[in-house]
Amino acid sequence: MEEPFAFAGCPRFRVLVSMAKKGRRAQRRRKKRQLRGRALKPIDHMNRALGGFLTACGEVEFKMILFADYISEPGIEAIFHDLSGPFGPKIKAFKEWCDFSGVSHAKRPLLDSVYKKLDALLPKRNFIVHGETWDGEFKGKPKQPYRVGIIKKDIDYIDQFDRGEHGKNVFSLEQIRAVTEECRRIAADLDVLRDSHTLGD
């Protein structure tokens, strides 16, 4: 019986080893091509960021309802009714319910801070939600997707974008992510307010 290492000198064995190596190399090349095909494009990153923003904004709206319900007597049905609909009226109703129901002096500074953050978020949120995604170039940067908010009664806003004017209604990927972080900070503040109310502050 031949020893195992004796096969190493066999021409057929060398051919089989060579074929196996080539097969593994071909498999690695196929995997690399598949990975390149799955690589996210700039528009994919923008769409992901928009999805993250909508999720974070939805959390803010939900926690506004929860906190108003925590400190108010009428019940969730009345709160939900008043805090449904567009974001602007929702913020207004949230403030009215909170001011009517009242919070402790200790919590008032944080609640006032939430009010200011919501007011600052409102125009950004509206531009992002009521907008379209366009490719554009600004200040020598490579072409990339931007979220361009609709400006009512101003049909020139797209022309302004095409001219490279980065107005307050235009959001890059980084700006979308920044506004998403603003939403998360507001949601965290609402958690603190609700938790302190639960503890009887």
Side-chain angles (χ1 to χ4, degrees):
M1 181 176 180
E2 293 184 347
E3 294 294 331
F5 64 81
F7 286 105
C10 174
R12 186 175 180 184
F13 177 78
R14 288 197 297 272
V15 170
L16 290 173
V17 170
S18 177
M19 289 175 63
K21 288 181 178 178
K22 289 180 179 177
R24 287 195 293 271
R25 284 197 295 268
Q27 188 177 25
R28 286 195 293 269
R29 285 195 295 268
R30 283 196 298 272
K31 285 184 177 179
K32 286 182 180 179
R33 285 196 297 268
Q34 289 171 356
L35 288 174
R36 284 197 296 270
R38 288 200 299 266
L40 292 178
K41 299 176 182 177
I43 188 63
D44 297 322
H45 288 290
M46 174 59 80
N47 288 336
R48 281 193 174 189
L50 289 170
F53 164 75
L54 291 175
T55 299
C57 195
E59 184 180 6
V60 169
E61 296 184 33
F62 177 67
K63 290 182 176 180
M64 288 166 63
I65 294 173
L66 282 185
F67 179 66
D69 178 53
Y70 262 65
I71 64 173
S72 304
E73 292 293 333
I76 189 66
E77 292 81 7
I79 302 296
F80 186 80
H81 178 269
D82 286 354
L83 270 69
S84 296
F87 195 51
K90 187 174 295 184
I91 292 174
K92 182 175 182 292
F94 173 75
K95 292 178 181 179
E96 290 173 350
W97 275 111
C98 291
D99 291 342
F100 175 76
S101 301
V103 296
S104 68
H105 290 295
K107 289 189 290 188
R108 189 71 214 191
L110 182 55
L111 182 60
D112 288 338
S113 175
V114 168
Y115 286 176
K116 290 178 182 178
K117 290 177 182 178
L118 287 171
D119 289 339
L121 175 64
L122 176 61
K124 300 174 189 176
R125 179 262 181 200
N126 286 346
F127 279 137
I128 294 171
V129 171
H130 305 293
E132 301 169 311
T133 303
W134 294 80
D135 282 338
E137 296 179 64
F138 292 98
K139 298 180 180 177
K141 294 183 179 180
K143 182 175 285 189
Q144 57 185 298
Y146 290 88
R147 190 68 174 176
V148 184
I150 296 172
I151 300 179
K152 295 180 179 179
K153 300 180 181 179
D154 183 3
I155 60 174
D156 294 330
Y157 73 94
I158 289 297
D159 291 335
Q160 292 166 5
F161 173 77
D162 287 338
R163 291 196 297 268
E165 298 177 20
H166 195 144
K168 62 183 180 179
N169 64 315
V170 178
F171 296 82
S172 65
L173 175 63
E174 292 75 17
Q175 288 174 304
I176 295 288
R177 289 171 174 165
V179 180
T180 301
E181 284 304 312
E182 290 180 30
C183 291
R184 289 173 180 154
R185 286 192 290 270
I186 295 172
D189 288 345
L190 289 168
D191 283 339
V192 172
L193 286 167
R194 191 187 67 212
D195 291 344
S196 63
H197 181 78
T198 303
L199 294 172
D201 179 21

